[in-house]
Amino acid sequence: MLSARFDPQRFFQDRENVALRVGAGEVFGLLKRTLDLPAPWAALVRWASGAVEVIRAGGVIENRDLDEVMFVRVTPVELAVSVDDLASREGYACRAEVSLRLRLVPERGDLVAFQESMLGSRRVVQTKRLLEYLTAAIREGLSKYAGEQDGATLVDPRNADSAAAAVTLAVEASCFASGLSLDATPTVRFESDSFRRVHQAEQRASVRRAEHEAARQVDDALHKARADHLDERLRGIDVPTNDKRGAAVLVREIDCPPELLLVLRRREAPRSCATRGRHW
């Protein structure tokens, strides 16, 4: 909280302070007729006649029938807001971290609008008041944006520009009505624990499928190589069609491994069919 008496140096040095309205009697006295404004600060002064005037940053305020003074910071003000309870198009719960850079527009109409909309009956405006003023608009804009995107799009930092555009659009009207402006493009970062859990599970399942497919291909290749090798060894070995003993007996007689049996049987089959055709 600020003390009732205006302390220029203490007030100007506090980076949380954005604006302060004081009566002329709190600033000037018999021995103090002028006030030099620091470079980051301007002022909107109201004369006893009701006229208002802007004193530019770094200027000098002279007490000539002053009624009140509103000091305003004209350098950028950094704001950060976390918006929870958002949902993607598929229903993934998510949150957004938003950073904004605002500045007060040091023009007469804008400062009057700021005084009316932000100060009201208040004496001081600090950064938390700006957050309170803009958070509802930011939440509404991001809720609409998130509901139109899938989870993968939201958490992908390559899509940050479209999220920033949604925030810019959401706060434009509120900023215009209060004499504020965006000093830079907002930054927005979405996080979704539920989406990441599902995505990681899908990735693990995909890795397992790929591993199984690779193992199957290796098995197939080994099987083919073995079959080709056996086939090579069987070249020149023929099973006579009138030999009643069959392939198994010949395999034992030529001292070949039993695996040759399947290959020999495949080679016997066409001849057996041909023999039966001749005896039909």
Side-chain angles (χ1 to χ4, degrees):
M1 294 295 293
L2 296 173
S3 61
R5 183 72 180 179
F6 174 59
D7 181 347
Q9 295 306 317
R10 180 181 177 185
F11 177 79
F12 291 145
Q13 291 173 4
D14 188 340
R15 297 187 63 82
E16 293 297 309
N17 292 330
V18 177
L20 174 71
R21 179 172 55 196
V22 294
E26 296 184 61
V27 181
F28 302 102
L30 292 176
L31 301 178
K32 186 175 180 61
R33 308 299 297 172
T34 63
L35 176 66
D36 295 334
L37 291 171
W41 290 85
L44 181 71
V45 299
R46 186 179 301 276
W47 307 109
S49 63
V52 294
E53 179 184 348
V54 175
I55 307 300
R56 301 295 177 185
V60 178
I61 303 175
E62 296 181 0
N63 184 17
R64 294 179 286 106
D65 295 324
L66 278 178
D67 181 29
E68 68 176 22
V69 180
M70 181 179 72
F71 298 96
V72 293
R73 182 186 296 276
V74 293
T75 52
V77 177
E78 304 279 351
L79 300 179
V81 58
S82 180
V83 183
D84 299 320
D85 301 324
L86 301 174
S88 70
R89 183 167 54 196
E90 316 98 314
Y92 290 115
C94 55
R95 64 185 179 276
E97 301 294 334
V98 183
S99 297
L100 299 170
R101 280 170 58 93
L102 298 174
R103 72 165 64 239
L104 278 71
V105 180
E107 300 295 337
R108 179 181 179 278
D110 294 294
L111 294 181
V112 169
F114 177 84
Q115 186 178 60
E116 293 175 350
S117 62
M118 298 298 297
L119 271 170
S121 60
R122 296 177 178 83
R123 172 181 173 87
V124 65
V125 170
Q126 294 184 305
T127 55
K128 63 182 180 180
R129 167 60 181 150
L130 299 184
L131 277 176
E132 293 169 357
Y133 178 70
L134 293 175
T135 295
I138 293 172
R139 173 177 292 279
E140 182 178 353
L142 286 179
S143 179
K144 181 176 182 297
Y145 173 79
E148 295 171 348
Q149 314 298 324
D150 55 39
T153 299
L154 291 178
V155 301
D156 189 340
R158 292 172 297 181
N159 299 313
D161 287 348
S162 60
V167 171
T168 299
L169 182 62
V171 302
E172 273 182 343
S174 297
C175 287
F176 180 79
S178 58
L180 297 167
S181 69
L182 288 172
D183 187 63
T185 301
T187 61
V188 183
R189 181 172 60 88
F190 275 92
E191 287 290 342
S192 175
D193 295 336
S194 59
F195 170 78
R196 292 200 182 279
R197 284 194 296 270
V198 172
H199 182 60
Q200 288 168 358
E202 290 176 346
Q203 284 185 319
R204 289 193 293 270
S206 178
V207 169
R208 287 195 295 270
R209 288 194 297 270
E211 290 173 345
H212 292 163
E213 176 61 19
R216 186 193 64 78
Q217 291 179 3
V218 169
D219 288 344
D220 289 349
L222 289 174
H223 180 75
K224 183 178 183 304
R226 189 177 185 84
D228 291 345
H229 176 68
L230 294 176
D231 195 53
E232 179 70 23
R233 294 184 62 183
L234 283 171
R235 288 179 183 174
I237 300 176
D238 200 2
V239 180
T241 57
N242 59 353
D243 194 322
K244 305 300 185 182
R245 295 172 299 170
V249 174
L250 288 176
V251 167
R252 288 195 295 272
E253 286 186 356
I254 62 175
D255 195 24
C256 291
E259 288 88 342
L260 296 179
L261 178 60
L262 293 177
V263 179
L264 287 170
R265 283 177 174 169
R266 286 200 300 268
R267 298 177 63 177
E268 285 183 300
R271 297 181 179 184
S272 298
C273 292
T275 302
R276 287 196 297 271
R278 288 195 297 271
H279 291 290
W280 178 257

